[in-house]
Amino acid sequence: MIRNGVNSIDVHPSGRIALSVGKDHLLKMWNLLKGNCGYTVKLKGIGEQVCWNKSGTKYAILFDKTIIIYDGAVIFYYFSLIVALINLFINLYRTHQSCINMKILKE
């Protein structure tokens, strides 16, 4: 949910994710394949602008008087970890449902 307005958004060169910064002091990573926010981190200030480099390996955030360049691999690590955990929970749920269905059939 965006509460105080977005100052900047930039889509990763892959087209799969985007980063946004706003007046709420948050950096958000958006999963463009699913259409939801996949990761949020609190910034120390208001991000005025965010942008990826051409290869998508780094991104920069412009603050009032500072530009900070971050390693994009960290974002992809968290994104991959979140996707892996979701898949794990889906598989556990399906396994659990299969066990319940087998138990019902045996009775």
Side-chain angles (χ1 to χ4, degrees):
M1 180 177 201
I2 300 169
R3 296 184 181 162
N4 297 320
V6 174
N7 289 339
S8 176
I9 187 166
D10 195 35
V11 177
H12 186 268
S14 70
R16 294 173 51 202
I17 63 171
L19 296 176
S20 68
V21 292
K23 294 179 175 78
D24 54 5
H25 296 240
L26 296 177
L27 167 69
K28 294 188 177 193
M29 180 190 67
W30 299 92
N31 180 337
L32 300 179
L33 301 176
K34 294 187 177 186
N36 61 7
C37 181
Y39 180 72
T40 302
V41 67
K42 183 81 168 165
L43 300 171
K44 293 183 180 183
I46 296 174
E48 300 295 331
Q49 188 167 358
V50 63
C51 62
W52 289 98
N53 67 348
K54 290 183 182 183
S55 63
T57 57
K58 298 186 183 319
Y59 62 95
I61 299 176
L62 170 67
F63 295 94
D64 184 36
K65 296 179 182 179
T66 309
I67 298 174
I68 300 177
I69 299 172
Y70 298 90
D71 185 354
V74 173
I75 288 286
F76 277 110
Y77 170 77
Y78 284 113
F79 180 70
S80 299
L81 184 61
I82 290 167
V83 169
L85 286 172
I86 289 170
N87 287 333
L88 174 67
F89 287 122
I90 288 171
N91 289 333
L92 287 172
Y93 174 77
R94 287 181 181 158
T95 302
H96 179 71
Q97 286 299 106
S98 295
C99 290
I100 290 173
N101 290 341
M102 290 172 132
K103 185 177 180 183
I104 291 171
L105 291 175
K106 287 181 180 179
E107 294 175 353

